[in-house]
Amino acid sequence: MQVIYHRAELQVTADGSHTLVHPVMGDTYHSVGGALSESEYVYIGAGLNAVGGNRIKVLEMGFGSGLNALLTLREAMKRNIEIVYHTIELFPVDRTVIESLNYERLMPQELYRLFLDIHSCDWDKEVEITSYFRIKKIYASLEKAFLEGEYRVVYYDAFSPDSQPELWTDEMFGKIYDHMEHNGVLVTYSSKGEVKRALRRVGFEVKRLPGALGKHHMVRAVARKNNDVL
């Protein structure tokens, strides 16, 4: 299978880190208020750090620039835990664009080298980046992606419901719910009413949290599979 790469425009966000602008939809991959800050807050702080365990399986919807994967790797090294990281992407970003991101100036050289290793590794194959971090980049749409096993954490980082409404449906959230551990956590920057209702309909317990970078809210949803009561 041939992987088709796409170019995207760079944009500097308010915290100095780059995000990318999708060439067709025009959406940014991360908040213009701060790409790095948003990812740390929503996906690491409210997601990965909300669960325990020494071995955590993560699913990401929307690999994009690879920033969420990078921060998860950094956290795995910091916490001395093992992460198995599966990430879905239908429109991979061209390597020359990735190398133009200013992340090299924002992190230790060793970590930046591992970031490039993540982008270099084969698609649709689980690859060991370090003893703490294994990644499988799935080249597919969420509709067609084959999900394996159960995930403890899900980063739902698709483009907005306005841009990609087909990814914020009962069907898509139900597919993910079926592949989550009991008490697994899904986090997303979107707190739209339609998103929360779809999550609840397929079995998630939904909580609205303060949003990142001045945004009013975000969502953390828990996969309650044994009819637990808080």
Side-chain angles (χ1 to χ4, degrees):
M1 176 182 58
Q2 182 182 5
V3 177
I4 300 173
Y5 291 89
H6 300 260
R7 296 194 63 81
E9 296 180 12
L10 297 176
Q11 182 171 333
V12 179
T13 65
D15 66 4
S17 61
H18 273 141
T19 188
L20 298 172
V21 182
H22 193 279
V24 177
M25 287 180 283
D27 283 8
T28 57
Y29 284 62
H30 297 281
S31 171
V32 296
L36 183 65
S37 301
E38 180 195 38
S39 288
E40 288 177 330
Y41 183 92
V42 174
Y43 301 107
I44 304 303
L48 185 64
N49 289 347
V51 302
N54 294 321
R55 188 177 191 275
I56 300 172
K57 193 170 184 180
V58 175
L59 173 66
E60 177 189 36
M61 177 54 221
F63 178 61
S65 68
L67 179 58
N68 293 335
L70 169 66
L71 296 177
T72 302
L73 167 59
R74 185 183 70 180
E75 197 65 22
M77 296 170 70
K78 186 187 304 181
R79 290 170 53 182
N80 295 318
I81 59 175
E82 182 183 346
I83 300 284
V84 176
Y85 195 96
H86 291 181
T87 180
I88 300 169
E89 182 59 67
L90 186 59
F91 302 104
V93 178
D94 187 86
R95 176 66 181 239
T96 59
V97 176
I98 294 302
E99 291 178 352
S100 298
L101 292 164
N102 65 357
Y103 300 164
E104 184 177 14
R105 300 201 298 271
L106 304 175
M107 66 190 68
Q109 186 61 37
E110 178 189 2
L111 195 58
Y112 181 72
R113 179 184 58 79
L114 294 174
F115 172 69
L116 296 181
D117 288 346
I118 287 171
H119 279 281
S120 298
C121 69
D122 291 340
W123 289 84
D124 297 312
K125 180 190 298 183
E126 195 169 285
V127 177
E128 182 178 289
I129 301 300
T130 74
S131 58
Y132 294 104
F133 189 86
R134 298 182 64 86
I135 188 168
K136 182 177 183 180
K137 300 184 299 185
I138 302 168
Y139 181 48
S141 63
L142 176 57
E143 295 95 324
K144 296 182 179 180
F146 177 72
L147 304 182
E148 304 173 59
E150 294 186 324
Y151 301 94
R152 188 172 304 165
V153 181
V154 174
Y155 302 160
Y156 208 83
D157 198 17
F159 288 115
S160 72
D162 292 335
S163 297
Q164 290 187 303
E166 70 278 8
L167 296 181
W168 302 83
T169 63
D170 294 22
E171 181 183 4
M172 294 301 100
F173 287 135
K175 179 176 182 176
I176 288 174
Y177 180 89
D178 289 343
H179 285 274
M180 290 184 69
E181 296 180 6
H182 171 56
N183 287 334
V185 169
L186 178 151
V187 283
T188 181
Y189 63 88
S190 178
S191 63
K192 280 199 164 188
E194 64 199 70
V195 172
K196 291 180 287 188
R197 288 189 291 270
L199 287 164
R200 289 190 179 105
R201 282 194 294 265
V202 301
F204 284 100
E205 192 172 83
V206 177
K207 184 175 182 180
R208 194 174 64 176
L209 303 177
L213 309 173
K215 186 175 179 181
H216 290 304
H217 302 112
M218 60 164 283
V219 161
R220 181 164 63 210
V222 180
R224 301 290 190 193
K225 296 193 170 185
N226 295 337
N227 297 317
D228 280 11
V229 177
L230 281 178

